[in-house]
Amino acid sequence: MAQRTSTHSRATQKRHRSIWINLLTAVLAIVWILPIVWIVLTSFRAEGGAFVQYFVPKSYTFQNYVTLFNNPDFPFLQWFLNTLMVSAVTCVISTLIIIAMAYSLSRLRFKFRGPFLKIALVLNMFPGFMSMIAIYYILKAMNLTQSLVALILVYSSGAALGFYIAKGFFDTIPMALDESAMIDGATKFQIFTKITLPLSKPIVVYTALMAFMAPWMDFIFAKIILGDAIHKYTTAIGLYSMMTKTTQNSLFMTFTAGCVVIAIPITILFIFMQRYYVEGITSGAVKG
Amino acid sequence: MVQIDLEHIYKEYPKSDHYAVMDFDLHIQDKEFIVFVGPSGCGKSTTLRMIAGLEDISKGDLKINGEVVNDLPSKDRDIAMVFQSYALYPHISVYENMAFGLRLRKYSKADIDARVKEAAEILGLTEFLERRPADLSGGQRQRVALGRAIVRDAPIFLMDEPLSNLDAKLRVSMRAEIAKLHQRLNTTTIYVTHDQTEAMTMADRVVVMSVGKIQQVGTPAEIYDHPKNQFVASFIGSPSMNFFNVTYEDGRIHNEKGLNLQVPEGRAKVLENNGYNGKQIVFGIRPEDIHTENSFLQSWPDQVVNAKVVVSELLGATSQLYAQMGDEEFVATVDARDFHNPGEEVAMGFDINKAHFFDVDTTEAI
Amino acid sequence: MMTKFWKKSSAKKSVIPKPISFGELFKKGDSLTKLQYFVMGSNNIAKKQVPKGLFFLGVEILFFYWLVSNGIHAIAMLKTLGTKSQGWKYDKTLGIQIQQAGDNSMLLLLFGIAALLAIVLFIYVYWTNFKSNRKLYTLAKEGHKIPSTMQDIRSLFDEKFHITLMAIPIVGVLAFTVLPLLYMISIAFTSYDHNHLPPKNLFHWVGFTNFGSVINGDISSTFFPVLTWTIVWAVVATATTFFGGILLALLLNAKPLRGKKFWRIIFMITMAVPQFVSLLLMANLFNDSGPINALLLNLGWIKTAIPFLTNGMLAKLTIIVVNMWIGIPVTMLVATGIIQNLPQDQIEAATIDGANTFQIFRKITFPQIVFVMAPALIQQFIGNINNFNVIYLLTGGYPSNSTFYSAGETDLLVTWLYKLTVDSADYNLASVIGILIFILSAVFSLFAYKKTNSYQNGGMA
């Protein structure tokens, strides 16, 4: 008898726990998703300015998206194409550089390897844009400021020190594979192309996507390098430029529409690559 | 025809205070099956990797067919190697795994096909050629690794603990298979293992190594019957040889734990001639040379000691008695019929004709 | 035990032969070998390694041409950073005032450092030139054949493949990371501030004066509060996202939860939205007249708007909360990966031993997550010290504080650095801050790596 009540109460306890867990998850999910829902709603809002007293719009319109693509002072389409161009080129160059660096530092043995890893660690500890003024003048000396080429140069050369995650991945491929291929008669180049690369698809995809996404996210370098050349802007600084004190109110909904337009492809890319993201971080982390 | 000469080879790693391999001197004949055996960290794998060209040689000459090849890259040494982890390329099929080296060496398509199919035939892999390594069992992967080595027809095979990833039963059958393969192909083979059974059963000659040095080179029988020092004596044979610290005096050896045995005349003479009379020596005897059957005890009453059985293991045909004499433990392998329960006092006869004697300081055999 | 270990010391030092030294080769080499010391590549050309030799020779010619035409001047100017200031000067022959261009200290410094880098690069090429020379010598001595150009090229895809792979990236690092860094570090030791702006004014070397004024002078009253907030922020931000992420991961992996995948994707979407979008959005949401305040007012829960971003203390809290919104899903995703791969046998063993869920988490799951994530955690902490985006986009460092120099209540060292360069043009102070941030990060990560290493080694054993 006593036993039955105890199993009975345990079952209710279990059910209570289950309800609480599901409820808590739902509440948290709402907290996290609400701002995003809000931005999507706002992008379709027909009335009002930047600040309104309510979450759900009173009336809906596509006008914000139309304005977004047809405002000559804020050429969003141009920005979009600029960013696409920069990120496509950066993606190719950065991926090549990162994979090359990571492979060399992980699989090849040469005298400079140890010192280089230490130097890279030190260089990585300086705040990135401490040197941005100097970079600006170097680019100016090369007559490249206010150009997308300069952006590509900066993003790609930054990649050379971002090899850690890819190196962590390469470190997990057994060295015996390389040795076996060496005995089979392969040169280091052949080992790289025929053995290591085919085994490294996840990390190549991850690296490429990260490199592709960077120009959509960064604005501080872009802002310094591009200055006031509005037609060279990337979407990030372009959208940010919509949010000045004078334009904030009139352009807020257009801004949110812009955010939605660029967030959609990035979100899709991200969901697609999240598996690689986790693999990348954990494999790098385990190896330090 | 191939001949490998390792002439006084040293290996030192930077930042290490001792040599990984020291003064390794060995001459390997054509078609020989050489086994390097020793505990882990003894330098056997390092030596093999130096022969393969995967590690630099710090000093000394490695000659293949009389030519110094120290600086020759692996791919130009014309060797094939089987790795402990098999090192199969996971992204390509078994067929492509075996063909990989041939393609790099620009063999014709027909030739590649013929060689791969033949190797698959020999190893019983024909129906698995299109599979990926991940879809194979451990034993099958092991065969693929062997297949990858034999398709090349390389004159030298190097094997680095190839069986240590297999379970006990499979290991025994693969051991026989590798031996068969060697009889069939007659390729000069250098085989590294930490398992003395593998060494004893497969080798033409065994090289016993410890802390970077060769301890002894010889046929399995030589190594077993005439170990050159205490290390070889204890490493080869299972369970290992029992050692007792004893004093030799006028034809007898004894210690204060109750051991007092007559040494046969021939052995006694050798000891005396070497000036060991009245001195400490190490007396070694293999477990299988300790007897409990009555016939032995009666014929050699002078070589009997009394000991207490501590643990006994029945292994089927034989049983192993872990016995204590004073506080000194030793093992005896006896017939299963002579099984004794723990706690029993047993009279044991030491077959002193098969005894080994070692110097206390140098550990060398006397 | 029975055989002794063969120490190197007992067997006369190392057996690896040392290569012939720089001076020795010059003494022993023939005349062509000697010539290579002065005319780079000459020995290579003589030994039929023409392209290689021509490369060395070309580098030498270019270097000396540059040194004479530009380099010497550039390096000489490093000492003073310019002497002629811009302004009007009386020209006697013309009898009128003419404008004098003056030296641009900033460019002189930049070119001077570039020149030093160029010299280092040349020394490296010269060393390669020497090594190639030495190789020719040893090959000849040992009677080996000298490799042809074709073989050299082939080796670039084999034993020297790392050179092929790394040459271009390293040039990029030198030009866009090392050079700017050296330049900015040098600036910290000059008087390059809003009173000394080139090309109008010159600036000069001032030694450690700037460090003095930041740590002990008039800027210190801004520096220490900002530093304190930076450290508090980095610790709190890292800790909240880390623990929050792990708890969320545990929640999303709890057995009774239904639709695990769906919930995970919801949280992932927030990660995918570009940071500047979500941050600008949050700035709007938490604005004094933004929707959150409006909602609370409408509900009648508050009488006046809450100054989420305009009151110093509240703004700091808001920043941390918003950062949790951004950072927790990231940790969650990684922690989920780890939790799903945890070895089950330990947990089962603990259950059999009678441990409850909380004990299992504290003693088994949590230490293992920390173990795997420790390096990532350190990186996150460093990243938070340098977290420019969150502050700049959310509050811009505001609300302002009249006692601070060029910084607001919520400014971190990095955003202050940014303002010092962009708004007040005190480049020297900004550089000092940059160097101090570096020291902060370096000291911390050194300490942390040591700690985690010993922890991890201990954990493994």
Side-chain angles (χ1 to χ4, degrees):
Chain A
M1 188 65 193
Q3 196 159 3
R4 199 186 295 164
T5 39
S6 107
T7 48
H8 177 72
S9 75
R10 194 172 291 166
T12 25
Q13 212 181 350
K14 224 174 183 177
R15 200 162 57 231
H16 277 285
R17 215 180 127 229
S18 158
I19 291 170
W20 275 112
I21 283 176
N22 281 288
L23 203 68
L24 184 61
T25 310
V27 170
L28 286 176
I30 288 171
V31 169
W32 253 269
I33 204 74
L34 210 56
I36 291 163
V37 173
W38 178 66
I39 199 174
V40 176
L41 288 177
T42 308
S43 72
F44 291 105
R45 194 172 72 199
E47 75 290 339
F51 305 113
V52 289
Q53 307 286 310
Y54 44 84
F55 273 92
V56 183
K58 298 221 160 77
S59 51
Y60 295 90
T61 174
F62 267 111
Q63 190 53 43
N64 299 324
Y65 288 87
V66 177
T67 324
L68 180 67
F69 287 99
N70 291 308
N71 189 334
D73 295 332
F74 298 95
F76 183 78
L77 189 62
Q78 178 72 46
W79 297 340
F80 192 88
L81 294 176
N82 288 345
T83 320
L84 197 62
M85 205 274 282
V86 170
S87 54
V89 179
T90 308
C91 170
V92 174
I93 299 177
S94 294
T95 308
L96 287 177
I97 288 179
I98 290 178
I99 296 297
M101 293 291 281
Y103 177 80
S104 307
L105 292 166
S106 166
R107 313 302 281 180
L108 304 176
R109 292 289 173 266
F110 47 95
K111 256 194 235 148
F112 192 49
R113 180 175 169 273
F116 186 87
L117 283 170
K118 282 189 192 123
I119 292 171
L121 200 69
V122 170
L123 288 178
N124 271 328
M125 268 178 216
F126 280 97
F129 52 79
M130 175 177 165
S131 44
M132 111 201 120
I133 306 297
I135 291 177
Y136 176 79
Y137 283 105
I138 291 168
L139 290 170
K140 202 166 181 179
M142 293 162 80
N143 220 346
L144 281 174
T145 44
Q146 304 213 334
S147 79
L148 296 177
V149 178
L151 269 191
I152 292 170
L153 266 180
V154 171
Y155 291 146
S156 312
S157 65
L161 293 176
F163 54 77
Y164 287 97
I165 289 181
K167 177 179 175 290
F169 183 91
F170 287 137
D171 285 345
T172 61
I173 300 176
M175 206 60 196
L177 285 188
D178 294 40
E179 289 170 349
S180 170
M182 247 155 83
I183 286 170
D184 269 347
T187 63
K188 299 275 183 208
F189 176 73
Q190 285 166 326
I191 296 172
F192 181 51
T193 52
K194 292 191 175 176
I195 306 288
T196 316
L197 275 188
L199 289 176
S200 309
K201 265 182 216 146
I203 203 67
V204 173
V205 172
Y206 169 79
T207 310
L209 287 176
M210 280 315 239
F212 184 83
M213 275 156 65
W216 301 89
M217 310 272 198
D218 167 76
F219 69 65
I220 199 67
F221 272 100
K223 205 172 153 203
I224 300 257
I225 288 166
L226 299 175
D228 56 0
I230 287 183
H231 284 273
K232 298 281 170 62
Y233 274 10
T234 59
T235 46
I237 35 173
L239 287 174
Y240 187 70
S241 72
M242 286 181 165
M243 295 296 278
T244 58
K245 288 251 154 58
T246 49
T247 53
Q248 192 183 20
N249 208 35
S250 57
L251 286 175
F252 185 72
M253 274 94 75
T254 321
F255 164 80
T256 53
C259 291
V260 171
V261 169
I262 64 165
I264 287 171
I266 293 181
T267 309
I268 291 168
L269 273 184
F270 195 85
I271 290 176
F272 168 65
M273 62 161 260
Q274 55 103 3
R275 183 165 70 89
Y276 303 123
Y277 185 84
V278 175
E279 243 171 62
I281 289 188
T282 44
S283 72
V286 174
K287 290 273 164 180
Chain B
M1 259 303 283
V2 62
Q3 188 185 346
I4 308 165
D5 300 294
L6 297 112
E7 296 182 347
H8 303 286
I9 283 181
Y10 286 74
K11 174 72 189 179
E12 75 170 311
Y13 289 104
K15 290 181 196 160
S16 162
D17 67 341
H18 61 267
Y19 294 109
V21 175
M22 193 181 174
D23 201 15
F24 193 102
D25 201 65
L26 182 70
H27 303 274
I28 298 167
Q29 304 301 319
D30 191 31
K31 293 176 185 159
E32 252 191 312
F33 197 111
I34 296 277
V35 175
F36 293 174
V37 67
S40 61
C42 71
K44 55 191 192 299
S45 279
T46 309
T47 310
L48 189 80
R49 290 168 59 83
M50 286 195 281
I51 298 170
L54 298 172
E55 299 273 359
D56 291 331
I57 294 168
S58 303
K59 202 181 97 177
D61 284 333
L62 169 65
K63 291 182 184 165
I64 296 178
N65 293 330
E67 211 178 310
V68 178
V69 295
N70 284 21
D71 295 324
L72 202 67
S74 309
K75 61 174 195 283
D76 302 326
R77 291 190 188 187
D78 210 4
I79 47 177
M81 184 159 169
V82 178
F83 289 82
Q84 178 174 9
S85 59
Y86 316 145
L88 302 180
Y89 312 126
H91 60 296
I92 49 181
S93 66
V94 169
Y95 184 99
E96 287 303 320
N97 259 286
M98 293 207 254
F100 187 77
L102 302 174
R103 288 197 203 282
L104 289 172
R105 283 165 211 267
K106 307 248 156 39
Y107 281 66
S108 80
K109 252 200 179 131
D111 195 10
I112 292 174
D113 198 59
R115 279 163 182 265
V116 171
K117 294 237 161 96
E118 198 201 331
E121 188 68 35
I122 295 174
L123 295 162
L125 286 169
T126 310
E127 52 196 302
F128 305 111
L129 281 176
E130 292 316 312
R131 292 213 196 159
R132 293 280 171 94
D135 303 328
L136 300 178
S137 70
Q140 288 164 338
R141 284 181 212 180
Q142 173 61 54
R143 281 163 212 267
V144 178
L146 284 173
R148 210 165 55 172
I150 62 179
V151 284
R152 288 247 320 278
D153 236 347
I156 304 168
F157 277 1
L158 306 179
M159 302 195 186
D160 190 1
E161 309 219 11
L163 303 183
S164 60
N165 281 358
L166 298 176
D167 63 57
K169 215 165 185 183
L170 212 51
R171 203 177 306 163
V172 174
S173 70
M174 281 310 290
R175 194 167 78 197
E177 215 155 321
I178 291 178
K180 234 171 24 196
L181 204 63
H182 181 248
Q183 279 164 13
R184 175 173 177 160
L185 302 171
N186 253 324
T187 312
T188 310
T189 304
I190 305 175
Y191 185 106
V192 163
T193 180
H194 61 264
D195 179 349
Q196 48 101 16
T197 324
E198 277 173 33
M200 298 298 282
T201 51
M202 297 166 88
D204 291 330
R205 278 197 298 160
V206 179
V207 177
V208 185
M209 292 182 73
S210 171
V211 285
K213 285 205 89 175
I214 295 183
Q215 302 296 325
Q216 187 171 2
V217 181
T219 63
E222 279 167 13
I223 299 262
Y224 188 80
D225 294 336
H226 305 289
K228 261 171 78 180
N229 58 35
Q230 217 177 321
F231 172 80
V232 178
S234 71
F235 191 78
I236 301 291
S238 171
S240 344
M241 187 184 281
N242 300 299
F243 295 107
F244 303 93
N245 281 319
V246 295
T247 312
Y248 172 78
E249 238 164 350
D250 305 326
R252 293 190 80 83
I253 48 169
H254 61 84
N255 67 6
E256 64 275 20
K257 312 266 163 62
L259 188 132
N260 193 337
L261 303 169
Q262 172 99 44
V263 180
E265 224 167 291
R267 308 295 304 272
K269 207 170 229 170
V270 173
L271 288 171
E272 264 159 48
N273 288 346
N274 285 300
Y276 284 99
N277 202 358
K279 292 219 173 103
Q280 281 256 316
I281 54 172
V282 175
F283 157 62
I285 187 145
R286 295 198 183 275
E288 58 269 37
D289 297 330
I290 301 177
H291 301 266
T292 51
E293 64 268 27
N294 279 329
S295 58
F296 185 93
L297 300 177
Q298 279 154 15
S299 358
W300 311 93
D302 244 6
Q303 298 173 10
V304 177
V305 299
N306 285 312
K308 190 174 152 191
V309 175
V310 184
V311 176
S312 55
E313 296 173 343
L314 182 63
L315 298 179
T318 59
S319 66
Q320 284 178 6
L321 305 179
Y322 293 80
Q324 238 176 12
M325 175 170 40
D327 57 357
E328 210 151 8
E329 284 202 20
F330 65 94
V331 191
T333 303
V334 298
D335 199 283
R337 278 168 303 182
D338 294 321
F339 185 79
H340 292 276
N341 283 318
E344 280 180 47
E345 288 278 349
V346 181
M348 295 189 179
F350 284 39
D351 187 354
I352 199 100
N353 281 313
K354 301 218 173 116
H356 302 267
F357 297 108
F358 305 95
D359 186 281
V360 174
D361 297 320
T362 64
T363 75
E364 296 291 319
I366 300 165
Chain C
M1 155 193 64
M2 291 180 213
T3 357
K4 285 160 197 97
F5 247 88
W6 301 93
K7 296 257 184 201
K8 278 183 192 171
S9 50
S10 68
K12 283 186 216 170
K13 283 198 223 157
S14 158
V15 291
I16 297 175
K18 279 228 165 65
I20 187 166
S21 77
F22 188 79
E24 223 175 317
L25 179 65
F26 189 76
K27 260 186 255 158
K28 287 189 185 159
D30 58 5
S31 53
L32 266 172
T33 308
K34 285 192 172 87
L35 185 64
Q36 176 112 337
Y37 276 73
F38 305 103
V39 182
M40 286 166 63
S42 52
N43 199 11
N44 293 102
I45 295 172
K47 302 265 161 67
K48 292 198 177 130
Q49 295 186 318
V50 179
K52 201 180 198 173
L54 283 179
F55 170 76
F56 287 138
L57 190 60
V59 169
E60 186 175 21
I61 291 170
L62 271 178
F63 177 76
F64 281 104
Y65 172 74
W66 166 83
L67 195 66
V68 171
S69 66
N70 263 321
I72 292 175
H73 175 75
I75 291 165
M77 293 309 273
L78 257 187
K79 209 178 154 202
T80 59
L81 297 178
T83 46
K84 281 187 290 177
S85 57
Q86 187 181 341
W88 297 93
K89 202 180 175 190
Y90 183 74
D91 190 321
K92 276 181 198 154
T93 52
L94 293 173
I96 50 164
Q97 296 268 358
I98 57 157
Q99 196 180 9
Q100 177 186 279
D103 294 327
N104 185 334
S105 302
M106 189 198 65
L107 291 180
L108 287 177
L109 180 59
L110 188 56
F111 293 149
I113 290 170
L116 289 181
L117 261 185
I119 288 173
V120 170
L121 272 182
F122 175 75
I123 291 172
Y124 174 74
V125 176
Y126 187 83
W127 181 249
T128 319
N129 167 64
F130 160 70
K131 279 203 296 192
S132 170
N133 198 13
R134 182 169 68 191
K135 183 106 198 216
L136 290 175
Y137 173 80
T138 38
L139 285 179
K141 211 175 87 180
E142 286 167 8
H144 290 297
K145 256 181 73 185
I146 288 157
S148 67
T149 304
M150 215 35 227
Q151 279 169 316
D152 273 343
I153 292 174
R154 227 173 276 147
S155 80
L156 280 177
F157 287 93
D158 202 354
E159 66 268 15
K160 288 181 184 162
F161 191 38
H162 61 275
I163 296 179
T164 316
L165 286 177
M166 289 176 67
I168 293 171
I170 284 185
V171 169
V173 170
L174 283 179
F176 289 103
T177 309
V178 175
L179 174 61
L181 262 183
L182 290 177
Y183 172 73
M184 290 316 282
I185 291 171
S186 317
I187 293 242
F189 300 94
T190 68
S191 59
Y192 186 7
D193 59 17
H194 58 275
N195 290 321
H196 300 82
L197 284 182
K200 204 159 180 315
N201 299 298
L202 298 172
F203 61 78
H204 300 286
W205 295 110
V206 294
F208 281 92
T209 318
N210 301 316
F211 287 87
S213 74
V214 167
I215 289 166
N216 209 2
D218 44 352
I219 307 295
S220 64
S221 60
T222 313
F223 172 70
F224 285 104
V226 174
L227 174 69
T228 313
W229 162 231
T230 305
I231 292 173
V232 169
W233 147 258
V235 170
V236 175
T238 313
T240 49
T241 51
F242 180 68
F243 288 109
I246 289 175
L247 290 179
L248 185 60
L250 286 175
L251 183 67
L252 293 187
N253 282 296
K255 274 201 194 99
L257 185 70
R258 285 184 211 154
K260 290 191 174 78
K261 263 212 169 124
F262 168 77
W263 297 118
R264 250 218 331 269
I265 284 185
I266 296 258
F267 287 99
M268 262 161 43
I269 287 174
T270 63
M271 279 174 77
V273 176
Q275 253 190 34
F276 76 93
V277 170
S278 45
L279 286 168
L280 286 173
L281 199 82
M282 287 293 185
N284 185 294
L285 274 174
F286 285 105
N287 194 290
D288 285 0
S289 46
I292 290 183
N293 267 318
L295 184 76
L296 293 175
L297 283 169
N298 282 348
L299 287 170
W301 290 3
I302 51 171
K303 294 245 159 59
T304 51
I306 301 172
F308 284 118
L309 296 172
T310 43
N311 169 298
M313 201 56 220
L314 258 181
K316 286 178 183 176
L317 262 178
T318 312
I319 289 170
I320 286 169
V321 170
V322 170
N323 185 66
M324 283 169 75
W325 186 86
I326 291 173
I328 283 178
V330 184
T331 316
M332 180 275 291
L333 202 56
V334 180
T336 302
I338 297 168
I339 289 170
Q340 287 172 350
N341 289 321
L342 281 184
Q344 285 298 312
D345 43 358
Q346 290 184 18
I347 295 173
E348 279 159 13
T351 319
I352 290 166
D353 287 345
N356 63 31
T357 317
F358 177 70
Q359 284 169 325
I360 289 177
F361 170 74
R362 214 171 63 96
K363 298 275 184 202
I364 298 172
T365 318
F366 185 69
Q368 300 219 37
I369 295 174
V370 174
F371 175 75
V372 178
M373 285 188 68
L377 202 61
I378 296 166
Q379 273 169 15
Q380 239 176 55
F381 184 83
I382 306 282
N384 274 328
I385 292 180
N386 291 308
N387 200 331
F388 179 83
N389 278 357
V390 168
I391 306 292
Y392 186 77
L393 293 174
L394 214 50
T395 64
Y398 288 101
S400 53
N401 183 326
S402 54
T403 59
F404 285 178
Y405 177 74
S406 198
E409 288 267 343
T410 57
D411 263 321
L412 298 179
L413 288 173
V414 255
T415 51
W416 187 31
L417 184 158
Y418 176 80
K419 285 183 178 172
L420 281 172
T421 48
V422 175
D423 298 345
S424 54
D426 290 313
Y427 295 95
N428 52 357
L429 291 181
S431 296
V432 171
I433 303 296
I435 291 170
L436 293 175
I437 294 173
F438 162 74
I439 292 170
L440 188 68
S441 323
V443 166
F444 172 78
S445 31
L446 225 97
F447 178 74
Y449 276 117
K450 268 226 168 98
K451 266 256 146 106
T452 50
N453 271 347
S454 60
Y455 169 65
Q456 295 194 341
N457 291 342
M460 293 306 278

